[in-house]
Amino acid sequence: MPSLEFKGKQFVYSHHLSVPFRELKVEKDKSLPIQGNKASLDDNLIIHGDNLEGLKALLPTHAGKVDCIFIDPPYNTGSEGWCYNDNVRSPLMKEWLKKSANPVDKEDLERHDKWLCMMWPRLQLLKELLAETGSIWITLDDNEMHRLKPILDELFGEHNFISTIIWQKKYSVKSDTKYFSEEHDYMLVYSKNNGDFELHGLPRTESQNSAYKNQDNDPRGDWTSGDLLRMESRDYAIYEIVAPNGKKHLPQKGSSWRFNKDKLEQLIADNRIWFGDDGNSKPRLKRFLSEVQNTIPAQTIWKYNEVGSSDSAKKHLTAMFKDRDLPFATPKPLGLIEKILTVIGNKDITILDSFAGSGTTGHAVIAANKKDKGNRKFILLECEDYANDLTAERIRRSINGYSFKGTYKEEFLKEKISWRSLSKKFQQLLEKVDHIENEQLVNFDKIKKEIKDNFITVTGERKEENTMAGLGGSFTYCTLGDPIQVESLLTGKGMPSFESLAKYVFYTVTGCSIDKVAKASVDGLIGETNSYRIHLFYKPEVNWLRSNEAALNNEKVEAIKASRTKGKRTIVFAVAKFMSQKELTKNRIEFCQLPYAVHKIMGN
């Protein structure tokens, strides 16, 4: 498969492996746990820090467990002011970055190379975090679209490409442009494993169902008809069909029927062929509404009046933050993320956004959970200084409510219609609108019903004088701690906690994340997979590590043997052992001495 080459690729190709693991440090004062609970890493997460290191920090707990990734990286327009400063070890890379412009601007002739160098290791880690059934959705524009796709093909596999979605982000025409008034962005969608990936589609609308009717009172209900012709000639499917009232029909030249004669006779006998009201019309195949799926595939063009625009997103964010200036000219609208969640369908998933910005993804998850009582979780990573004052603050205000004076609007129905659907389903549509009005009127001053641009919308409107009601929810705010350096066991400085080292060791050995570390016990078991049982004897105390208690001895071996699961490799980490290797081998135990063995396992 062809691959894209760019300056620095050979140096960043495996850079994600050299990024140090860091502990996630909970900031209690900035977190918003459920009342009565403590801030926990099991909650929704907002992580402030470099997103490359933040992604690496998530591996021990979330590798292979993230269901959906949405990222909105810098578009690299040359006017965003982003910097490329990853600590790549190569002297050539350091010299290159020293000599080139930072932040990246339009005058930087190597800005595309830098952008690709920035994206490559992050995409590597995102792929490791993604579940086998998961998907990644990336928004961008014409600046890097054609460069990103080949590296996604290389990293995720060309066969895992799902689609390119067009999002109409603007609806007004720019008159100051030289050529075209640009109004869309792209969204590339890839799966982790195409064989395990599914999309649930969108609910069918009344407009789509209106094409079905029951012209012959068929007991199977409403139906629509489709062409019986195949636009190619096949000898076995060229024959004469006689209509009930005698008219004979042959396929036109160069075409043939879709079925052979025996199959067609079966369909006629089952009343699945329609010859029109007069019984002589060209035969057509009946398709019953009761036999079609309840959902339809999402289309690849997402219009602003369905998912929101950059302008509507900016107005929404401004309304939430009337007390401060915002650094975002083009935030993403809630509707864009909400539609992704709708298409995915699952209400019990984890969504990751490693370029969190204004926090739209977290807000959309909270709103979706409120709407359908889902149990989705979000993880947001933001490296800029506004991570607490804007990203996290938006989530706080979404959860608790916020000061707002003006008209709050909430859309309850938006459905494409036609005159035909109105005439056929008018009563059903009227009942649906009445139901919404009766149910929601208690929460709003009025329910606005409107037909415009072939859409019927039902919107609740309410004047707010003081606060906007909150949606509920919780999150934990984290920063990145010091790198986990197992060499610190030798010096006693900056030693990792037992839980952090356990998660780090477990992931390093197995390549799997661990939800919860088993509590310290006599056998030192911290967790197991289908193939491994991992044991760790460790305390972040210098005196303890230098004592006999820290060593693997006969008592610990007996405890390990007593709890062992047959057929699994038993790996034990400790600073020393008081057993011969011959004895350990006899008991099928692999001893790994801390700190050196960790590097041996990692291949460093």
Side-chain angles (χ1 to χ4, degrees):
M1 182 184 74
S3 61
L4 180 68
E5 292 301 319
F6 52 90
K7 185 174 181 179
K9 183 177 181 179
Q10 67 268 41
F11 303 117
V12 300
Y13 195 85
S14 301
H15 176 55
H16 64 290
L17 298 176
S18 64
V19 176
F21 284 90
R22 293 180 181 269
E23 290 188 71
L24 291 176
K25 296 287 189 181
V26 173
E27 300 281 336
K28 296 179 182 178
D29 295 342
K30 297 176 181 177
S31 301
L32 187 62
I34 294 174
Q35 190 170 5
N37 291 0
K38 292 182 179 180
S40 164
L41 294 177
D42 295 327
D43 204 348
N44 295 311
L45 298 178
I46 299 177
I47 302 169
H48 181 204
D50 179 87
N51 63 2
L52 184 61
E53 295 185 336
L55 292 172
K56 192 68 175 275
L58 287 168
L59 283 178
T61 52
H62 289 81
K65 294 180 180 176
V66 175
D67 303 285
C68 174
I69 294 170
F70 171 83
I71 58 172
D72 182 30
Y75 281 17
N76 206 21
T77 61
S79 58
E80 296 159 305
W82 71 277
C83 298
Y84 176 61
N85 52 14
D86 287 349
N87 187 24
V88 182
R89 292 176 180 176
S90 164
L92 290 174
M93 286 288 284
K94 290 179 180 178
E95 189 65 23
W96 173 39
L97 295 178
K98 190 190 299 181
K99 291 179 179 178
S100 58
N102 221 357
V104 177
D105 58 28
K106 284 186 177 178
E107 303 304 315
D108 188 343
L109 299 179
E110 295 174 326
R111 64 186 172 98
H112 300 296
D113 300 274
K114 290 180 181 178
W115 189 86
L116 291 164
C117 284
M118 180 271 292
M119 291 296 293
W120 183 273
R122 287 163 175 80
L123 290 169
Q124 292 268 25
L125 293 177
L126 288 169
K127 183 183 177 185
E128 286 193 46
L129 288 164
L130 201 57
E132 287 299 309
T133 55
S135 56
I136 182 169
W137 308 62
I138 307 175
T139 55
L140 67 169
D141 66 7
D142 284 313
N143 280 282
E144 299 294 356
M145 161 71 177
H146 54 297
R147 296 183 183 88
L148 182 61
K149 187 166 189 315
I151 69 170
L152 289 172
D153 285 343
E154 185 173 349
L155 288 171
F156 285 83
E158 190 175 0
H159 59 286
N160 285 320
F161 169 70
I162 301 300
S163 188
T164 302
I165 293 168
I166 303 294
W167 165 49
Q168 185 187 11
K169 64 179 178 180
K170 297 177 183 177
Y171 50 85
S172 58
V173 177
K174 288 177 65 177
S175 58
D176 59 349
T177 184
K178 186 177 179 181
Y179 297 115
F180 292 95
S181 177
E182 173 255 352
E183 64 176 23
H184 72 277
D185 278 350
Y186 302 100
M187 186 154 54
L188 285 170
V189 186
Y190 279 74
S191 65
K192 174 72 172 287
N193 185 338
N194 213 341
D196 295 329
F197 177 66
E198 291 183 3
L199 285 178
H200 291 256
L202 300 171
R204 295 183 62 86
T205 65
E206 288 297 327
S207 174
Q208 288 153 350
N209 289 345
S210 68
Y212 293 79
K213 52 189 176 180
N214 198 345
Q215 293 175 247
D216 59 351
N217 295 317
D218 194 303
R220 288 164 290 194
D222 290 355
W223 53 270
T224 188
S225 64
D227 200 343
L228 261 181
L229 285 176
R230 178 192 288 114
M231 300 315 293
E232 59 178 305
S233 179
R234 297 187 181 180
D235 291 343
Y236 70 85
I238 298 175
Y239 50 87
E240 191 176 75
I241 297 176
V242 181
N245 288 343
K247 187 170 182 179
K248 298 175 181 179
H249 298 274
L250 277 169
Q252 65 193 51
K253 189 175 181 180
S255 69
S256 54
W257 302 120
R258 289 189 173 274
F259 308 102
N260 62 35
K261 193 170 185 178
D262 288 343
K263 176 64 177 177
L264 192 89
E265 288 175 353
Q266 292 174 18
L267 292 171
I268 292 174
D270 195 27
N271 191 21
R272 288 180 179 267
I273 301 298
W274 174 243
F275 291 93
D277 291 324
D278 62 358
N280 269 327
S281 298
K282 180 180 175 181
R284 293 175 64 83
L285 178 67
K286 291 166 67 173
R287 294 187 176 94
F288 292 91
L289 180 59
S290 60
E291 295 175 352
V292 301
Q293 294 182 343
N294 292 326
T295 60
I296 58 169
Q299 295 174 291
T300 55
I301 297 178
W302 294 9
K303 297 181 179 178
Y304 77 90
N305 55 3
E306 298 171 355
V307 299
S309 64
S310 295
D311 184 56
S312 67
K314 183 67 180 291
K315 288 177 179 176
H316 186 184
L317 196 59
T318 301
M320 293 185 72
F321 287 91
K322 289 190 174 181
D323 54 336
R324 66 189 67 177
D325 293 328
L326 299 172
F328 291 97
T330 54
K332 293 296 178 285
L334 281 181
L336 186 69
I337 313 299
E338 288 175 340
K339 183 160 184 176
I340 293 172
L341 299 179
T342 300
V343 170
I344 289 173
N346 194 335
K347 299 179 184 180
D348 188 15
I349 59 174
T350 298
I351 302 99
L352 168 65
D353 184 346
S354 56
F355 293 88
S358 66
T360 301
T361 299
H363 191 167
V365 168
I366 291 169
N369 285 342
K370 174 72 173 179
K371 189 176 292 185
D372 61 18
K373 298 179 181 173
N375 191 37
R376 304 170 187 86
K377 285 188 175 181
F378 64 78
I379 302 172
L380 308 182
L381 282 80
E382 181 50 59
C383 65
E384 298 293 343
D385 292 338
Y386 54 69
N388 178 54
D389 295 335
L390 177 57
T391 312
E393 182 60 23
R394 177 179 185 175
I395 305 304
R396 292 187 193 100
R397 295 184 184 194
S398 302
I399 291 170
N400 291 331
Y402 53 92
S403 298
F404 180 83
K405 187 174 182 179
T407 301
Y408 169 70
K409 299 178 181 180
E410 185 173 344
E411 189 175 87
F412 296 105
L413 177 68
K414 186 167 191 173
E415 198 164 290
K416 195 168 186 178
I417 59 169
S418 64
W419 287 114
R420 184 176 178 182
S421 66
L422 270 180
S423 62
K424 183 170 187 340
K425 302 285 186 179
F426 178 77
Q427 191 59 39
Q428 292 179 13
L429 198 55
L430 188 64
E431 290 174 2
K432 183 186 287 189
V433 171
D434 287 343
H435 176 74
I436 293 171
E437 188 170 22
N438 293 333
E439 187 178 61
Q440 297 295 337
L441 193 55
V442 67
N443 300 317
F444 292 85
D445 299 329
K446 68 174 181 178
I447 302 297
K448 185 177 179 181
K449 295 156 282 188
E450 184 179 32
I451 296 178
K452 186 178 180 181
D453 297 332
N454 294 326
F455 279 89
I456 180 169
T457 57
V458 180
T459 308
E461 296 186 359
R462 178 176 70 234
K463 284 189 176 181
E464 294 284 354
E465 298 295 333
N466 296 306
T467 60
M468 180 69 68
L471 300 171
S474 61
F475 71 89
T476 296
Y477 188 94
C478 304
T479 54
L480 299 175
D482 294 329
I484 298 176
Q485 303 286 0
V486 287
E487 290 88 346
S488 64
L489 276 61
L490 301 174
T491 64
K493 295 180 181 179
M495 289 193 293
S497 66
F498 174 82
E499 185 170 2
S500 294
L501 183 61
K503 290 177 179 177
Y504 167 65
V505 164
F506 189 87
Y507 175 77
T508 301
V509 175
T510 66
C512 300
S513 60
I514 185 170
D515 291 322
K516 290 192 178 295
V517 175
K519 292 183 178 180
S521 60
V522 65
D523 70 349
L525 179 68
I526 57 174
E528 60 184 307
T529 68
N530 291 334
S531 304
Y532 295 95
R533 282 173 64 86
I534 310 299
H535 302 255
L536 172 67
F537 297 100
Y538 167 77
K539 288 182 182 180
E541 302 169 11
V542 174
N543 291 336
W544 186 88
L545 290 172
R546 292 174 178 171
S547 70
N548 292 342
E549 192 178 348
L552 178 63
N553 55 26
N554 188 63
E555 180 186 1
K556 292 183 174 69
V557 168
E558 291 301 317
I560 291 169
K561 287 166 59 180
S563 65
R564 182 156 49 199
T565 304
K566 189 175 181 181
K568 293 187 180 183
R569 289 178 63 184
T570 301
I571 300 179
V572 180
F573 286 87
V575 294
K577 60 182 174 69
F578 290 163
M579 308 278 294
S580 70
Q581 187 57 53
K582 182 179 179 181
E583 187 68 19
L584 292 175
T585 302
K586 177 183 173 183
N587 287 294
R588 293 180 288 114
I589 292 174
E590 299 175 45
F591 173 71
C592 297
Q593 186 178 15
L594 290 170
Y596 312 107
V598 175
H599 293 293
K600 182 179 178 182
I601 288 170
M602 292 181 72
N604 293 344

